[in-house]
Amino acid sequence: MASSKFSKTGGRLPPKPQPVKFNLPVEQYTPYALLVKLGKEEISEKDLRREYTRLRNIAQKRITRLNADPLLKRLENVKDAISTGFPTLKEIGKSSTALAGHLAGLRTFLTKEESTVYGARRKFERNVQKASEAAGGFVNAGNYPDFDRFMRFARETTRGFRIGSPEIADFFDDYSGKYSTQEDLESAFAEWLAMGGEVE
């Protein structure tokens, strides 16, 4: 296994994980394709259930590792990746449709870069660099999680308004230190937006 590389953000990156091996071609992990294979008896439901259990075990280990990382569990893209969770076969029941849907969800999760600590940290470093370049240099590894969360909130809030990302980033830079919680900052942004983006 390859040795850890030193992360630009100051921590040790774990070894790069091996890609997950799927028992079917990865593009066949869609609900429709899996149900067609079942219908044509090209694969048995027993084999699909075995594959689901195997992939779910891999996914659950990855989720546990991501949740144990104090930085990564604060990142919105990681929260999105791990938010769904994967039910047990008992919870899925006997529905072939549900099984196929959850297998497709596992494929989606396990092929995302941010499904591993290594991939999530590499993506984090790239995102910090891009955000810092785009926002004028004030974004760094320490404030990026809050900046990312705020930018997502602001983009949702400003739909239909003529306010672009540079103005939103400027607001974060100017006001993030004045509020003790992210919620207070978001409320201040909503008020700022209601006043047409006028500075207090």
Side-chain angles (χ1 to χ4, degrees):
M1 197 175 273
S3 61
S4 297
K5 294 179 182 176
F6 193 73
S7 165
K8 292 175 193 167
T9 55
R12 288 300 244 176
L13 279 175
K16 185 175 182 178
Q18 296 296 317
V20 174
K21 289 187 173 125
F22 292 92
N23 287 336
L24 296 169
V26 73
E27 66 276 2
Q28 292 183 8
Y29 284 78
T30 67
Y32 176 76
L34 291 169
L35 289 171
V36 166
K37 285 186 105 41
L38 268 175
K40 291 181 176 179
E41 297 184 355
E42 293 175 8
I43 191 167
S44 71
E45 186 153 341
K46 182 179 178 183
D47 286 338
L48 277 188
R49 293 173 86 77
R50 190 179 296 125
E51 175 73 338
Y52 180 82
T53 299
R54 184 182 71 82
L55 294 177
R56 182 182 181 274
N57 288 341
I58 295 169
Q60 292 301 114
K61 285 176 187 170
R62 288 185 177 190
I63 289 169
T64 300
R65 289 183 195 119
L66 288 166
N67 276 324
D69 189 298
L71 166 68
L72 296 180
K73 68 182 181 182
R74 292 176 57 211
L75 300 178
E76 295 302 310
N77 65 327
V78 173
K79 285 185 201 172
D80 290 346
I82 65 178
S83 63
T84 347
F86 302 100
T88 62
L89 285 174
K90 185 177 180 183
E91 291 166 334
I92 291 172
K94 302 209 179 283
S95 167
S96 300
T97 305
L99 176 62
H102 288 298
L103 260 169
L106 277 168
R107 187 278 313 243
T108 300
F109 172 72
L110 292 170
T111 54
K112 280 186 177 177
E113 183 179 20
E114 56 266 39
S115 75
T116 67
V117 171
Y118 176 89
R121 282 196 166 265
R122 292 296 299 267
K123 191 163 189 175
F124 168 73
E125 289 172 357
R126 290 195 310 272
N127 288 346
V128 169
Q129 184 176 355
K130 277 192 236 171
S132 181
E133 289 167 3
F138 73 87
V139 178
N140 56 47
N143 68 8
Y144 177 79
D146 294 330
F147 176 74
D148 180 47
R149 178 179 163 195
F150 180 76
M151 290 301 285
R152 284 176 180 237
F153 161 81
R155 284 189 201 108
E156 287 293 315
T157 308
T158 57
R159 285 191 176 164
F161 290 87
R162 291 188 169 197
I163 295 178
S165 293
E167 291 86 359
I168 297 168
D170 288 343
F171 180 92
F172 180 89
D173 190 23
D174 293 340
Y175 291 95
S176 61
K178 296 180 181 178
Y179 297 95
S180 56
T181 69
Q182 187 81 11
E183 288 73 19
D184 291 341
L185 179 64
E186 290 172 2
S187 294
F189 180 76
E191 288 173 23
W192 177 80
L193 193 60
M195 293 188 298
E198 295 295 325
V199 178
E200 295 170 7

